[in-house]
Amino acid sequence: MNNIEVEKSEKLIKIWIRREIPLNPLNMDTMEEIYEAIRANPEKIVIIAGRNKAFSAGADIKGFLEMKPSDAFHFSTRGNDIMHFIAQHPMPVIAAIHGYALGGGFELALACDLRISTKDAVLGLPEVTLGILPGFGGTQRMKELLGESIAFDFVSRGRKIKGEEALNLGLVNYTSDDPVKFAEQIAEEYAGLPPIALKYIKRLIRKRNDRLFEEEAEYFGKIFETSDQKEGASAFIEKRKAHFTGR
Ligand code: COA
């Protein structure tokens, strides 16, 4: 792992993007390392953050100079696969953003389940200003989060906004002076929640298809086979804190 650092604990992995180039641009090696770190820890909650001055200022523009159309196609296809993989990771994935989250860096944050940012962080998809378009699912995820009209305004002009405005638009969930610490607090809360219910909730909210209402009912039935469900109900009735075991 040359481009990221990984810190692991029992239920959490923290992935730090740490490139030698300033502002942590995302090249394919970095993306593959993030993919590998998450793939190797399917049961863990994930926090992604950036070392030094930024979360990530986007795809490595310097690498674009030598990119042929077929390379660009593969770059976007593989990048999109990795973003989908992150979005579908069974446990919650939280982006903790400071400095810049632009282009591919912001698309990485958009693929996460929650985004926490400093108020003065700069976020956006400025690709159009470079003569290209977002290639890691940014147009689609922005449309889903903001609706067509606001997403179009934002992406078509390559607007960059501060964390505070992103919070008002619903692009980030929270702002904080210390996004990593805030993310750790949320991760700790998740660690105390029943993992089976959490995985089903994530799947229902993040997966895209029309069968989800049926799936919701299926999962609702299945969850009643678990001891965590019984523990949750018992703890409520007995007025004590529930202790969930993942069974
Ligand atoms: N890819 C490669 N290198 C990048 C980069 C990127 N996406 N973003 C910044 N850098 C490099 C700069 O080339 C510069 O390197 P240098 O010191 O070797 O010249 C260094 O990071 C600092 O960037 P600089 O532009 O000098 O800092 P700044 O504070 O004036 O501006 C940004 C910061 C983020 C606003 C500006 O760098 C920028 O707009 N970056 C591109 C963002 C973008 O369009 N991302 C989408 C890519 S598809």
Side-chain angles (χ1 to χ4, degrees), residues 21-23 25 57-62 64 100 102-104 126-127 129-130 132 160:
I21 308 174
L23 307 183
D60 196 339
I61 300 169
K62 290 170 186 168
F64 284 170
Y100 295 100
L102 294 172
E127 282 86 344
T129 65
L130 295 165
I132 57 172
K160 292 184 203 145

Side-chain angles (χ1 to χ4, degrees), residues 171-225:
L171 278 178
V172 304
N173 299 81
Y174 303 96
T175 55
S176 162
D177 292 338
D178 189 341
V180 173
K181 193 165 164 206
F182 197 110
E184 284 168 347
Q185 285 162 0
I186 294 184
E188 203 176 306
E189 189 183 329
Y190 282 139
L193 291 171
I196 301 170
L198 201 51
K199 282 180 197 173
Y200 285 157
I201 288 167
K202 169 156 178 176
R203 197 171 148 83
L204 288 160
I205 290 182
R206 303 302 310 267
K207 206 175 149 190
R208 298 173 171 95
N209 74 32
D210 296 334
R211 235 190 54 76
L212 290 180
F213 290 96
E214 287 167 45
E215 265 192 55
E216 187 176 67
E218 282 167 25
Y219 293 155
F220 195 79
K222 275 185 160 190
I223 206 77
F224 277 76
E225 294 168 8

Side-chain angles (χ1 to χ4, degrees), residues 19-25 52-54 57 62:
R19 298 219 49 211
E20 281 170 12
I21 308 174
L23 307 183
N24 291 326
N52 304 321
K53 290 192 181 156
K62 290 170 186 168

Side-chain angles (χ1 to χ4, degrees), residues 134-183:
F136 297 161
T139 54
Q140 299 312 298
R141 292 202 168 87
M142 290 294 274
K143 191 167 71 173
E144 284 168 4
L145 281 169
L146 299 174
E148 282 181 28
S149 176
I150 299 174
F152 185 77
D153 177 43
F154 196 90
V155 186
S156 65
R157 296 197 287 134
R159 281 190 67 212
K160 292 184 203 145
I161 59 170
K162 293 268 176 83
E164 213 165 1
E165 187 180 347
L167 180 69
N168 290 336
L169 284 174
L171 278 178
V172 304
N173 299 81
Y174 303 96
T175 55
S176 162
D177 292 338
D178 189 341
V180 173
K181 193 165 164 206
F182 197 110

Side-chain angles (χ1 to χ4, degrees), residues 13-40:
I13 59 164
K14 238 184 292 170
I15 299 174
W16 296 93
I17 306 169
R18 181 194 42 81
R19 298 219 49 211
E20 281 170 12
I21 308 174
L23 307 183
N24 291 326
L26 280 183
N27 61 357
M28 200 38 83
D29 286 350
T30 311
M31 303 271 293
E32 291 293 352
E33 287 176 21
I34 294 171
Y35 166 78
E36 194 47 45
I38 297 177
R39 195 199 58 77

